[in-house]
């Protein structure tokens, strides 16, 4: 890579590939001439080159790694040679012609945005940190929203998606605190971990058809009051899903669910109503810690309750099933309203605290 203080750079005609992070963090760089022989630009190749203001991608380029221009907040103009067979620009969006994916949006985007028809995917970090963006409408052709695509869009308050959307990636709307409502389409198959981390969603009633739910999806959505999970995702639900949703009052868990993952409702200090599916065999560590549950019916097939699972709850009468043989430490600690507890026939040891 060039020296950190270089302001402009022209690639030699012998160079056909730029490696991963090759120019990363060269903030003084204001201009780059790719020449006519470059074929490949690696992952994060120009990440955080905040001095760049415009780029021209030649016809020879056929490969772009992961987010090569991530954090290049100064770029306001992107042009691709009309002879390039792989990439193109539309309205300052860089697109992959083959996959029909919008790879990155450049320049500040203000207000309301409607993306053009034909786009099938939104690339990772494509609109991240667009703090002036208020609403976005994705076309009916869009099937996938990539990881962190709208992360830290502080003022994003409305997202319109259509039936046909199948995947929401990891951290897709991370930190979008103004986003209060989201309509989950029936075609959705996957929601990645931390997808709505610290958003402002008021409810999360997920439709049947979803097969995979990652961890921390709705972490600290303080406005959320109700949620329900589909039977179709019963065998693939990540931990800490509702951690810190302190206004969540009710959640419906699906039959077929074998385990309540660890910390699923930890610090949900308003949670008063939840069902435990009859198929349940285990409850993870701190799953219901600091909820206000007063009654829970434990299913007969339950064999394990993790550490601190019901610590600081308001349970009054606890009847543990006969199949339970593994009880974690602190599982029912600090429960001032507890009046009685019945231990099942299989439990041979009560652990410390």
């Amino acid at each position: 890579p060039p020296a950190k203080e270089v302001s402009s750079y022209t690639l030699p005609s012998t160079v056909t590939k730029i490696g991963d992070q090759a120019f990363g963090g060269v903030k003084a760089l204001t201009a780059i001439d790719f020449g006519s022989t470059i074929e490949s630009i690696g992952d994060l190749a120009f990440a955080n080159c905040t001095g760049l203001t415009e780029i021209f991608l030649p016809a020879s380029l056929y490969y772009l790694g992961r987010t090569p221009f991530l954090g290049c907040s100064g770029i306001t103009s992107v042009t691709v040679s009309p002879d390039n067979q792989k990439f193109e620009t539309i309205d300052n969006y860089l697109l992959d012609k083959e996959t029909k994916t919008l790879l990155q949006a450049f320049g500040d985007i203000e207000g309301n945005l409607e993306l053009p028809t034909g786009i099938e995917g939104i690339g990772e970090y494509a609109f991240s940190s667009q703090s002036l963006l208020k609403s976005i409408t994705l076309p009916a052709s869009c099937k996938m929203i990539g990881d962190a695509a709208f992360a830290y869009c502080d003022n994003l308050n409305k997202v319109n998606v259509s039936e046909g959307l199948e995947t929401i990636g990891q951290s897709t709307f991370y930190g979008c605190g103004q986003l209060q409502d989201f309509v989950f389409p029936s075609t959705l198959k996957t929601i990645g971990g931390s997808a709505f981390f610290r958003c402002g969603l008021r409810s999360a009633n997920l439709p049947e058809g979803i097969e995979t739910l990652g961890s921390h999806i709705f972490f600290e959505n303080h406005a959320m009051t109700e949620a329900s999970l589909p039977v179709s995702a019963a065998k693939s639900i990540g931990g800490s899903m509702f951690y810190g949703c302190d206004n969540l009052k009710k959640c419906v868990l699906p039959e077929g669910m074998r385990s309540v993952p660890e910390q699923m409702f930890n610090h949900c200090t308003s949670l008063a109503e939840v069902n435990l599916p009859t198929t349940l065999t285990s409850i993870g560590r701190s799953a219901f810690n600091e909820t206000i549950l007063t009654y829970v019916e434990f299913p007969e097939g339950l064999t394990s309750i993790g550490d601190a699972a019901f610590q600081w709850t308001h349970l009054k009468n606890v009847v543990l099933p006969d199949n339970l043989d593994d009880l974690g430490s602190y599982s029912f600690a600090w429960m001032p309203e507890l009046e009685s507890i019945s231990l099942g026939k299989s439990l041979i040891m009560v652990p410390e605290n």
Side-chain angles (χ1 to χ4, degrees):
K4 291 290 185 181
E5 65 273 10
V6 71
S7 60
S8 64
Y9 192 78
T10 299
L11 290 177
S13 60
T14 54
V15 174
T16 60
K17 178 180 179 180
I18 298 175
D20 297 348
Q21 303 181 55
F23 291 80
V26 183
K27 298 183 185 297
L29 185 66
T30 59
I32 179 78
D33 184 348
F34 291 110
S36 59
T37 59
I38 191 69
E39 299 174 352
S40 172
I41 299 176
D43 299 349
L44 301 167
F46 293 88
N48 299 313
C49 290
T50 52
L52 285 175
T53 58
E54 59 182 9
I55 54 174
F56 175 80
L57 301 177
S60 56
L61 183 69
Y62 67 82
Y63 175 80
L64 283 174
R66 295 182 59 218
T67 57
F69 301 102
L70 181 67
C72 295
S73 55
I75 295 178
T76 57
S77 175
V78 179
T79 309
V80 179
S81 168
D83 297 323
N84 190 293
Q85 300 300 306
K86 175 69 172 174
F87 304 105
E88 65 178 341
T89 51
I90 299 176
D91 298 332
N92 239 23
Y93 308 133
L94 179 61
L95 292 98
D96 186 313
K97 293 181 182 180
E98 293 180 0
T99 64
K100 298 179 181 179
T101 299
L102 191 157
L103 300 176
Q104 188 169 349
F106 294 93
D108 291 335
I109 300 174
E110 299 185 29
N112 308 317
L113 178 65
E114 183 172 348
L115 294 181
T117 301
I119 292 173
E120 295 185 6
I122 308 297
E124 56 184 320
Y125 293 93
F127 291 89
S128 65
S129 300
Q130 289 283 353
S131 59
L132 300 178
L133 179 64
K134 292 185 176 180
S135 74
I136 187 161
T137 299
L138 305 184
S141 54
C142 187
K143 299 177 182 178
M144 179 276 295
I145 308 175
D147 297 350
F150 296 94
Y152 300 110
C153 290
D154 300 336
N155 288 296
L156 183 65
N157 58 47
K158 189 172 183 60
V159 178
N160 297 311
V161 299
S162 301
E163 292 293 312
L165 182 67
E166 297 177 357
T167 301
I168 296 175
Q170 296 183 31
S171 304
T172 297
F173 298 100
Y174 191 111
C176 295
Q178 299 300 312
L179 185 61
Q180 295 184 331
D181 300 293
F182 189 93
V183 179
F184 297 91
S186 63
T187 51
L188 198 59
K189 301 295 183 187
T190 301
I191 302 178
S194 303
F196 295 90
F197 193 104
R198 289 180 177 153
C199 288
L201 295 186
R202 294 179 288 192
S203 66
N205 296 308
L206 304 183
E208 287 297 333
I210 296 177
E211 298 170 355
T212 303
L213 295 170
S215 65
H216 299 83
I217 289 178
F218 302 108
F219 186 99
E220 291 187 357
N221 275 242
H222 297 299
M224 186 172 294
T225 59
E226 63 174 8
S228 61
L229 305 182
V231 173
S232 55
K235 296 181 180 179
S236 184
I237 296 175
S240 302
M241 181 172 294
F242 298 102
Y243 186 109
C245 293
D246 48 15
N247 282 299
L248 181 66
K249 295 177 174 61
K250 177 182 179 180
C251 184
V252 178
L253 300 178
E255 284 296 318
M257 192 174 180
R258 303 279 292 174
S259 174
V260 178
E262 64 178 32
Q263 303 199 76
M264 187 168 187
F265 298 101
N266 197 0
H267 298 298
C268 291
T269 53
S270 297
L271 185 66
E273 185 179 348
V274 68
N275 64 302
L276 296 184
T278 59
T279 50
L280 209 62
T281 61
S282 67
I283 296 174
R285 175 178 61 88
S286 301
F288 296 97
N289 180 46
E290 291 195 59
T291 63
I292 59 170
L293 293 171
T294 59
Y295 174 75
V296 170
E297 183 175 351
F298 294 98
E300 284 301 316
L302 187 69
T303 61
S304 175
I305 296 178
D307 295 348
F310 291 91
Q311 181 177 247
W312 288 112
T313 61
H314 293 225
L315 295 179
K316 296 180 179 179
N317 300 289
V318 174
V319 179
L320 299 178
D322 288 339
N323 289 313
L324 185 77
D325 59 11
D326 181 15
L327 187 63
S329 299
Y330 295 90
S331 50
F332 294 98
W334 305 109
M335 292 169 51
E337 296 179 42
L338 184 65
E339 297 174 357
S340 68
I341 184 163
S342 174
L343 305 179
K345 295 178 181 179
S346 300
L347 194 64
I348 60 174
M349 183 185 72
V350 176
E352 63 179 354
N353 299 300

